[in-house]
C-alpha cells in the first residue's frame, strides 16, 4: 500500500506540463480527458495540464482516473489537503466525497444517506452539477439494491435540471441521456414495460449518429419487446442490430446480439437454437477474457433453460451448477436470482422423476414469488407474472400439486420470466459499465511489457485467495526477479533494458495458462500465480522457463549474455491474505538471491507471518 502511494506521488511530482489557470480551466481539461477513447486516455494523462504542486491540481489529476482506478487509496489526500480543498474549493471537496462514498464498503443504507446529505448541500449552494453527480451515484446504488421505485423518484426529481450533452465518455455529472437509460432499467424492473419502451426510444433518439448508442437503444427495445411478446418486432430489431454490430465490430456487441437471439428463440419454443446461440455467446465471451459475472450468469441461465426444454436433466444440472458457481454480484443475487435457481432445480427433479422433492421446490418457489414479506418493491409488484398465471394456479395447495401437473404451467411461465429478467439485468449492466470495462482493460496492462500491471495482477490474485475452498484447492504465488538486470541497463542502456524486459514478459506470457496470472510487479520484478499448482509443479514450470531462456539470443535486442532469474514461491491451500503471501514470497526471493541466484526457493504458506510489503 505504501509503495503504491509513493509511486503515485512520484508520478505526480515528476509530471511536466503547461498548467491550466483556474478551476473552470481544470474542469474543462478534465472533461476533455475523460471523454478520450481508452487508447488515447493514458497519453492524455501523461501530458496532463494540472499543477500537482497545488491541492486543486493534484485533486483534478487524481480524479481524471475515474473508473480506471477503483481503489479508494489511490485517491487519498492528506488531512491538510482535504481541509484546504474543503475551505477553498468546497464544490470539488463534495464532488470527491461522492466518489469516495461510491468506492467505499459502507452498508447500502449508509451510502444512501451519505449521497442524500451531499445532494442537500449541493442544492443549498446551487451546485447543480454536484447534485447531479450525487444523484447518479445514488440511483446506481438503489438499482443495485433493487430499490427501483426509489430510483425512479430520484431521477424524476432531478430530470428537469439534467444537462444536455452530446459527448460520450466519463463524467462527474448526470446527463439527460444517462437518465433516459437508467429510467428504462428501473421501469423494466418494475414491470412497466410500456414506460420502459418509451425511455428506450428517448435514449436512442438522443444521439442518432452514435453507433454505440444505437446498439444500446435497440438492445433496450428488444429486451422490452420480448416481455411484451411482440416477437415479429423483435425479429426485425435483431436484423437491424446485426447490421450495426457488423459495422461496429465490437466483441461485447456481438455477445449481446447472440444473447438476445437466444432469448428470442426461447420465446419461439426452439430450444435447439436457444442452446446454439447461448453457447456461441458464452464461448465468445470466455475467449476474450470477459469477466462480468452477470453476463456469464445470464448465459448459463439460458443454457440451463435450453436443456430443460430438451428434457436433458443431466446437462441442465451441469449448467445450473455452473450458474451457481458464478462470482456473486448485486445482479446475480436477490429474490429474482433465488426464483431462477428454484425454478431450474424443481424442473430438473421433475425430469428425474423425483416428484416429492420437486414439490418441495415448487412450494418454495411460490412462496418466494408471492408471499415473501420482506421482498423489495419490484418483487412485490411483479404484475407481469401475476397476469400470466391465473388465480386458480396460484392457490394450488401441496396436495393439489401432488395430484396435478398444472404446476408445470406455473413453472414454465416463471422460468420464462425469470430467465428474461436475468438477461435484461446482464444487458443493463453491460451498458452501464461498458466504457468502464474498456478503460479497465486498457489500464490493467503494463504499458511497457503488455502483461498485467501490478495492481490488476494483485487484485486478481487477492480475489482468488479469498475464494479458496477448504479441501483440494491449491495454488502457488511467486515473485520473479531478473538476475543482474542492472548490469544490462548500465552496459547497454535503458532502451535495451526495456527491450529485454518486454522480451522476457512475452516469453513468460505464452508459457502460462489462461487460468494463471502473470504481471509486472515493478522494475525487473514480476508476480505469478499458478492455479491448482503444488510447489513441485511450480518448480517444474519455472525450470522449463529457464530452459527456454537459456536458448534466447539477446544480441538481437542489443545485449549479450544469458537471461536468468530468481524466484520466491509460496504454496497456498487455504484462504489467505495477499499481503502475507507476497511478504513470504519476497523473503524466499531474497534467500534465492543470497544463495547464488538463478534458482527458486519454495515453501508452504505460513499464516502466522505478518510482514507487510505492499
Amino acid at each position: 500500500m505504501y509503495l503504491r502511494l509513493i509511486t503515485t506521488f512520484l508520478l505526480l511530482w515528476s509530471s511536466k506540463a503547461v498548467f491550466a489557470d483556474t478551476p473552470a480551466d481544470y474542469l474543462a481539461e478534465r472533461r476533455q480527458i475523460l471523454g478520450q477513447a481508452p487508447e488515447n486516455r493514458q497519453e492524455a494523462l501523461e501530458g496532463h495540464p494540472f499543477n500537482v504542486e497545488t491541492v486543486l491540481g493534484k485533486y483534478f489529476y487524481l480524479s481524471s482516473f475515474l473508473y480506471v482506478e477503483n481503489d479508494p487509496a489511490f485517491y487519498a489526500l492528506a488531512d491538510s489537503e482535504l481541509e484546504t480543498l474543503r475551505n477553498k474549493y468546497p464544490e470539488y471537496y463534495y464532488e470527491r466525497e461522492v466518489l469516495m462514498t461510491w468506492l467505499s464498503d459502507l452498508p447500502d443504507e449508509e451510502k444512501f444517506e451519505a449521497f442524500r446529505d451531499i445532494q442537500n448541500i449541493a442544492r443549498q449552494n446551487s451546485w447543480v452539477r454536484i447534485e447531479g453527480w450525487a444523484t447518479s451515484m445514488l440511483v446506481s446504488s438503489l438499482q443495485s439494491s433493487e430499490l427501483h421505485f426509489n430510483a425512479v423518484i430520484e431521477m424524476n426529481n432531478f430530470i428537469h435540471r439534467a444537462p444536455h450533452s452530446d459527448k460520450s465518455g466519463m463524467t462527474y455529472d448526470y446527463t439527460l441521456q444517462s437518465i433516459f437509460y437508467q429510467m428504462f432499467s428501473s421501469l423494466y424492473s418494475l414491470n412497466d414495460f410500456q414506460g420502459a419502451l418509451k425511455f428506450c426510444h428517448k435514449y436512442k433518439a438522443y444521439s442518432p449518429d452514435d453507433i454505440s448508442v444505437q446498439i444500446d437503444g435497440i438492445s433496450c427495445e428488444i429486451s422490452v419487446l420480448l416481455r411484451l411478446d411482440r416477437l415479429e418486432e423483435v425479429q426485425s430489431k435483431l436484423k437491424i442490430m446485426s447490421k450495426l454490430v457488423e459495422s461496429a465490430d465490437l466483441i461485447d456487441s456481438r455477445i449481446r446480439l447472440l444473447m438476445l437471439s437466444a432469448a428470442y428463440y426461447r420465446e419461439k419454443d426452439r430450444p435447439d437454437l436457444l442452446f446454439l446461440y447461448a453457447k456461441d455467446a458464452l464461448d465468445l465471451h470466455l475467449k476474450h477474457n470477459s469477466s462480468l459475472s452477470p453476463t456469464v450468469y445470464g448465459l448459463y441461465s439460458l443454457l440451463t433453460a435450453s436443456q430443460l426444454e430438451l428434457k436433458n436433466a443431466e446437462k441442465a444440472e451441469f449448467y445450473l451448477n455452473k450458474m451457481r458457481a458464478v462470482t456473486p454480484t448485486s445482479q446475480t443475487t436477490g429474490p429474482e436470482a433465488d426464483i431462477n435457481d428454484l425454478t431450474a432445480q424443481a424442473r430438473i427433479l421433475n425430469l428425474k422423476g423425483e416428484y416429492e422433492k420437486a414439490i418441495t421446490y415448487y412450494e418454495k418457489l411460490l412462496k418466494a414469488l408471492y408471499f415473501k414479506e420482506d421482498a423489495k418493491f419490484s418483487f412485490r409488484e411483479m404484475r407481469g407474472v401475476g397476469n400470466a398465471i391465473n388465480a386458480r394456479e396460484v392457490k394450488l395447495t401441496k396436495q393439489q400439486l401432488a395430484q396435478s401437473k398444472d404446476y408445470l404451467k406455473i413453472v414454465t411461465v416463471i422460468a420464462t420470466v425469470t430467465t428474461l429478467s436475468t438477461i435484461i439485468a446482464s444487458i443493463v449492466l453491460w451498458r452501464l459499465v461498458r466504457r468502464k470495462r474498456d478503460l479497465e482493460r486498457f489500464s490493467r496492462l503494463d504499458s511497457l511489457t503488455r502483461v498485467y500491471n501490478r495492481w490488476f495482477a494483485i487484485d486478481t490474485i487477492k480475489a482468488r485467495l479469498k475464494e479458496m475452498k477448504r479441501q483440494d484447492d491449491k495454488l502457488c504465488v511467486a515473485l520473479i526477479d531478473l538476475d543482474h538486470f542492472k548490469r544490462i541497463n548500465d552496459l547497454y542502456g535503458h532502451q535495451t533494458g526495456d527491450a529485454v524486459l518486454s522480451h522476457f514478459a512475452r516469453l513468460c506470457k505464452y508459457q502460462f495458462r489462461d487460468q494463471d496470472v502473470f504481471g509486472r510487479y515493478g522494475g525487473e520484478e514480476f508476480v505469478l500465480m499458478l492455479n491448482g499448482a503444488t510447489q513441485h509443479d511450480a518448480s517444474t514450470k519455472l525450470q522449463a522457463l529457464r530452459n527456454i531462456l537459456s536458448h534466447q539470443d539477446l544480441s538481437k535486442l542489443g545485449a549479450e549474455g544469458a537471461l536468468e532469474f530468481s524466484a520466491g514461491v509460496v504454496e497456498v491451500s487455504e484462504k489467505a491474505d495477499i499481503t502475507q503471501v507476497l511478504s513470504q514470497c519476497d523473503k524466499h526471493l531474497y534467500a534465492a538471491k543470497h544463495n547464488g541466484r538463478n534458482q527458486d526457493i519454495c515453501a508452504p504458506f505460513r499464516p502466522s507471518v505478518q510482514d507487510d510489503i505492499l
Side-chain angles (χ1 to χ4, degrees):
M1 178 65 70
Y2 301 117
L3 203 56
R4 183 173 189 175
L5 291 174
I6 291 170
T7 302
T8 302
F9 284 123
L10 287 174
L11 200 144
L12 289 171
W13 288 95
S14 63
S15 300
K16 295 180 180 179
V18 178
F19 302 133
D21 295 325
T22 67
D25 293 334
Y26 277 168
L27 192 63
E29 293 286 353
R30 185 182 66 182
R31 186 177 290 115
Q32 185 175 358
I33 291 172
L34 292 174
Q36 295 282 334
E39 61 270 18
N40 300 327
R41 195 169 179 200
Q42 185 170 358
E43 182 180 351
L45 284 167
E46 287 174 355
H48 70 85
F50 309 119
N51 183 358
V52 296
E53 295 184 9
T54 67
V55 173
L56 186 64
K58 181 179 177 181
Y59 168 67
F60 267 94
Y61 172 75
L62 293 174
S63 65
S64 296
F65 284 84
L66 178 64
Y67 294 140
V68 174
E69 286 287 351
N70 295 315
D71 184 349
F74 177 83
Y75 300 94
L77 294 174
D79 289 344
S80 59
E81 292 174 324
L82 285 174
E83 190 66 23
T84 299
L85 197 65
R86 183 169 192 164
N87 292 333
K88 292 187 175 181
Y89 310 102
E91 181 177 354
Y92 300 107
Y93 172 84
Y94 286 105
E95 177 187 271
R96 180 183 181 277
E97 285 295 290
V98 174
L99 177 61
M100 300 307 285
T101 300
W102 171 250
L103 296 175
S104 73
D105 294 325
L106 288 172
D108 288 344
E109 290 300 329
E110 291 184 29
K111 275 192 177 183
F112 302 156
E113 184 177 356
F115 287 136
R116 289 188 173 113
D117 286 344
I118 298 170
Q119 278 180 321
N120 290 332
I121 292 170
R123 290 189 191 112
Q124 292 168 9
N125 290 276
S126 300
W127 298 333
V128 176
R129 186 180 61 82
I130 304 303
E131 181 190 352
W133 170 230
T135 302
S136 70
M137 293 295 98
L138 175 57
V139 168
S140 295
S141 299
L142 290 168
Q143 289 180 328
S144 295
S145 299
E146 299 181 27
L147 296 172
H148 294 284
F149 184 71
N150 303 68
V152 169
I153 292 174
E154 294 292 341
M155 286 184 277
N156 188 63
N157 287 340
F158 184 73
I159 198 168
H160 64 282
R161 294 192 295 282
H164 163 76
S165 176
D166 56 1
K167 295 180 179 179
S168 58
M170 302 299 160
T171 178
Y172 283 86
D173 209 334
Y174 199 21
T175 65
L176 198 57
Q177 187 174 24
S178 297
I179 291 178
F180 287 162
Y181 200 92
Q182 287 191 301
M183 190 70 84
F184 144 71
S185 173
S186 284
L187 291 177
Y188 182 96
S189 297
L190 293 168
N191 296 325
D192 179 2
F193 302 124
Q194 294 295 345
L197 190 60
K198 180 181 72 172
F199 279 97
C200 286
H201 296 331
K202 285 178 176 290
Y203 173 80
K204 199 172 74 166
Y206 198 89
S207 299
D209 298 325
D210 188 324
I211 192 168
S212 295
V213 170
Q214 294 307 299
I215 291 173
D216 288 342
I218 292 176
S219 299
C220 161
E221 291 171 336
I222 292 171
S223 306
V224 179
L225 293 170
L226 282 168
R227 292 297 294 268
L228 293 172
D229 201 30
R230 289 156 58 174
L231 298 185
E232 288 186 6
E233 293 178 66
V234 170
Q235 187 178 31
S236 176
K237 296 286 185 183
L238 284 170
K239 290 179 180 178
I240 297 171
M241 183 177 175
S242 179
K243 293 178 180 178
L244 290 172
V245 168
E246 286 298 323
S247 63
D249 195 26
L250 299 171
I251 295 300
D252 282 355
S253 297
R254 289 181 185 278
I255 297 171
R256 199 181 338 173
L257 176 63
L258 289 168
M259 197 172 184
L260 287 169
S261 299
Y264 167 73
Y265 283 111
R266 165 128 194 208
E267 296 304 294
K268 295 288 288 184
D269 295 323
R270 289 295 306 273
D272 53 336
L273 293 177
L274 159 61
F275 174 77
L276 290 175
Y277 277 97
K279 187 65 166 60
D280 284 349
L282 180 65
D283 291 344
L284 188 60
H285 186 82
L286 297 178
K287 178 181 177 182
H288 290 274
N289 293 320
S290 297
S291 59
L292 285 180
S293 297
T295 300
V296 180
Y297 181 91
L299 289 169
Y300 280 131
S301 178
L302 281 169
L303 289 166
T304 303
S306 72
Q307 297 308 306
L308 287 171
E309 296 303 321
L310 293 169
K311 312 300 182 187
N312 192 330
E314 287 72 22
K315 284 190 175 180
E317 192 164 33
F318 170 80
Y319 286 121
L320 175 61
N321 289 332
K322 287 285 190 180
M323 184 180 80
R324 289 169 171 169
V326 172
T327 303
T329 69
S330 59
Q331 284 76 28
T332 62
T333 56
E336 197 154 341
D338 294 341
I339 290 166
N340 202 23
D341 191 290
L342 290 168
T343 301
Q345 188 62 64
R347 296 189 68 193
I348 288 169
L349 290 170
N350 182 70
L351 287 175
K352 289 182 173 181
E354 300 178 25
Y355 301 116
E356 287 298 321
K357 288 184 180 179
I359 288 170
T360 302
Y361 279 94
Y362 293 137
E363 282 189 304
K364 292 178 180 178
L365 186 54
L366 290 173
K367 183 177 180 181
L369 273 169
Y370 298 103
F371 308 114
K372 191 172 178 65
E373 294 181 356
D374 60 344
K376 296 186 174 75
F377 179 88
S378 61
F379 294 99
R380 289 204 305 267
E381 299 295 316
M382 291 181 73
R383 303 189 187 279
V385 177
N387 293 335
I389 306 174
N390 63 50
R392 180 183 62 81
E393 290 172 321
V394 171
K395 295 179 181 178
L396 284 174
T397 62
K398 178 179 179 179
Q399 182 179 4
Q400 289 171 317
L401 283 169
Q403 295 174 349
S404 169
K405 292 186 178 180
D406 283 346
Y407 66 86
L408 291 176
K409 298 177 184 178
I410 300 175
V411 174
T412 300
V413 173
I414 293 170
T416 300
V417 171
T418 53
T419 301
L420 281 173
S421 297
T422 301
I423 295 167
I424 305 315
S426 302
I427 292 170
V428 168
L429 177 78
W430 221 327
R431 186 268 167 189
L432 292 175
V433 302
R434 185 188 62 239
R435 291 194 177 92
K436 173 184 173 183
R437 262 192 57 206
D438 288 340
L439 294 173
E440 286 176 340
R441 184 184 298 117
F442 185 65
S443 68
R444 68 179 59 171
L445 297 180
D446 177 65
S447 59
L448 173 64
T449 62
R450 309 309 293 168
V451 297
Y452 291 145
N453 62 30
R454 173 192 178 103
W455 315 122
F456 182 79
I458 289 177
D459 286 345
T460 305
I461 297 171
K462 183 192 298 184
R464 176 69 177 90
L465 290 172
K466 285 183 178 179
E467 63 183 23
M468 293 284 289
K469 298 175 183 176
R470 291 186 177 181
Q471 295 180 346
D472 301 323
D473 196 4
K474 56 186 175 299
L475 59 83
C476 282
V477 178
L479 286 179
I480 299 171
D481 189 86
L482 291 180
D483 294 332
H484 304 298
F485 182 74
K486 184 177 183 297
R487 185 170 59 191
I488 294 176
N489 275 337
D490 291 343
L491 290 176
Y492 307 108
H494 287 280
Q495 186 172 356
T496 298
D498 287 349
V500 170
L501 275 180
S502 298
H503 182 65
F504 174 75
R506 184 165 58 253
L507 285 174
C508 291
K509 183 168 62 173
Y510 293 115
Q511 303 308 311
F512 305 128
R513 304 162 299 173
D514 289 343
Q515 61 263 42
D516 299 330
V517 176
F518 179 71
R520 188 180 181 193
Y521 195 67
E524 66 272 24
E525 197 169 4
F526 294 82
V527 63
L528 169 67
M529 183 191 78
L530 294 171
N531 220 344
T534 63
Q535 296 176 55
H536 177 74
D537 297 331
S539 183
T540 301
K541 174 62 74 173
L542 292 173
Q543 187 55 49
L545 180 59
R546 283 194 180 87
N547 293 338
I548 293 172
L549 290 174
S550 67
H551 294 93
Q552 298 301 306
D553 182 7
L554 297 185
S555 63
K556 295 179 179 179
L557 304 174
E560 299 293 337
L563 197 54
E564 299 175 343
F565 67 85
S566 303
V569 184
V570 169
E571 179 182 327
V572 185
S573 57
E574 59 184 319
K575 291 184 178 181
D577 178 74
I578 183 67
T579 302
Q580 295 183 34
V581 171
L582 290 175
S583 177
Q584 291 178 40
C585 288
D586 192 55
K587 287 183 175 180
H588 301 327
L589 174 60
Y590 176 82
K593 293 280 190 182
H594 184 72
N595 289 346
R597 295 184 170 85
N598 197 30
Q599 59 184 276
D600 315 318
I601 290 187
C602 308
F605 172 64
R606 293 179 297 151
S608 59
V609 178
Q610 300 278 342
D611 295 345
D612 185 347
I613 66 166
L614 283 182

